[in-house]
Amino acid sequence: MDNARFHSVGLDQLGMPTTNDKITLRRHSISQLDTYDVTAYELDGIERECLDVGQDFHFTSNTLSIGVSFLIALVLTTIESPKIYACFFALVLVMGVLTLYFGIRYIRKRGATRSTIQRIRERQVGPVGDERLELRPSDLAALPVTQGGESQVVNLAVDAQDAINAPQVPAPATPNPAITSEAAASSGEQK
């Protein structure tokens, strides 16, 4: 319960009359939260796509129910007037065509929002490197930088199994020629 915080809340604050004055409330914090940058164009696109998909679904369900209702009326009742029968038949036909039209639009557009959101998620900067030897963005920032401001190229292509089984041997230190010449010069002056 190290992440949980306890707060006492008066039940009168919640609008609940009771004989007990206080209850204990536990709060669990979120340990990690991922965020994504979204452009105004993408946000407008998601809004438009959601509106279109919802509207097409509603039109599909409404035209289907109206068409089925008039079809049931045509099948179960005898309509003696040819004009009324023609009106009912025309309504069933028009509602069938509209149901197909809006249904096809709904089916085609329902994946559009998902593809836009997938594009946004693909922009996420993830780990770089081979499996089990990934570098996080914080590790990339810690790589050494040369005087010219360009990052040094580090060869990270290592077989994962070899990296796990390899003995840990420290790399031999390569002396910096500027430091060794200064040390030699200062040791010569001290003699």
Side-chain angles (χ1 to χ4, degrees):
M1 292 290 172
D2 52 278
N3 286 342
R5 295 186 183 133
F6 291 96
H7 299 284
S8 293
V9 177
L11 291 179
D12 58 337
Q13 293 172 339
L14 299 175
M16 301 171 59
T18 183
T19 56
N20 298 337
D21 191 31
K22 302 222 181 235
I23 60 171
T24 302
L25 183 69
R26 288 190 299 174
R27 179 179 178 266
H28 301 277
S29 63
I30 299 173
S31 61
Q32 181 179 355
L33 185 64
D34 294 331
T35 62
Y36 298 92
D37 293 332
V38 180
T39 64
Y41 175 75
E42 291 167 335
L43 196 59
D44 290 341
I46 290 171
E47 183 180 12
R48 186 178 51 256
E49 291 162 1
C50 289
L51 179 65
D52 289 346
V53 168
Q55 191 174 26
D56 289 338
F57 179 75
H58 286 294
F59 285 157
T60 300
S61 63
N62 289 338
T63 55
L64 178 66
S65 61
I66 292 169
V68 168
S69 299
F70 279 97
L71 180 65
I72 290 172
L74 273 177
V75 172
L76 296 179
T77 61
T78 54
I79 301 174
E80 296 179 12
S81 172
K83 289 182 181 180
I84 295 175
Y85 185 83
C87 287
F88 272 67
F89 187 77
L91 276 170
V92 169
L93 192 61
V94 168
M95 290 301 137
V97 169
L98 289 175
T99 299
L100 284 175
Y101 173 73
F102 288 118
I104 291 169
R105 277 180 48 133
Y106 166 72
I107 289 171
R108 285 186 178 172
K109 287 186 177 182
R110 69 180 175 173
T113 304
R114 199 175 305 135
S115 67
T116 303
I117 292 173
Q118 185 61 34
R119 264 185 299 164
I120 293 168
R121 285 188 176 142
E122 286 174 356
R123 285 197 305 246
Q124 177 184 6
V125 177
V128 178
D130 294 333
E131 186 177 341
R132 292 191 282 167
L133 296 173
E134 293 99 358
L135 290 175
R136 296 181 307 271
S138 60
D139 295 334
L140 290 175
L143 288 176
V145 178
T146 62
Q147 293 288 343
E150 298 176 7
S151 299
Q152 295 178 351
V153 177
V154 179
N155 186 4
L156 298 175
V158 177
D159 186 30
Q161 194 62 34
D162 292 341
I164 293 171
N165 297 332
Q168 298 296 325
V169 178
T174 57
N176 188 341
I179 295 175
T180 54
S181 62
E182 289 177 11
S186 64
S187 64
E189 291 175 5
Q190 292 175 354
K191 289 183 182 177

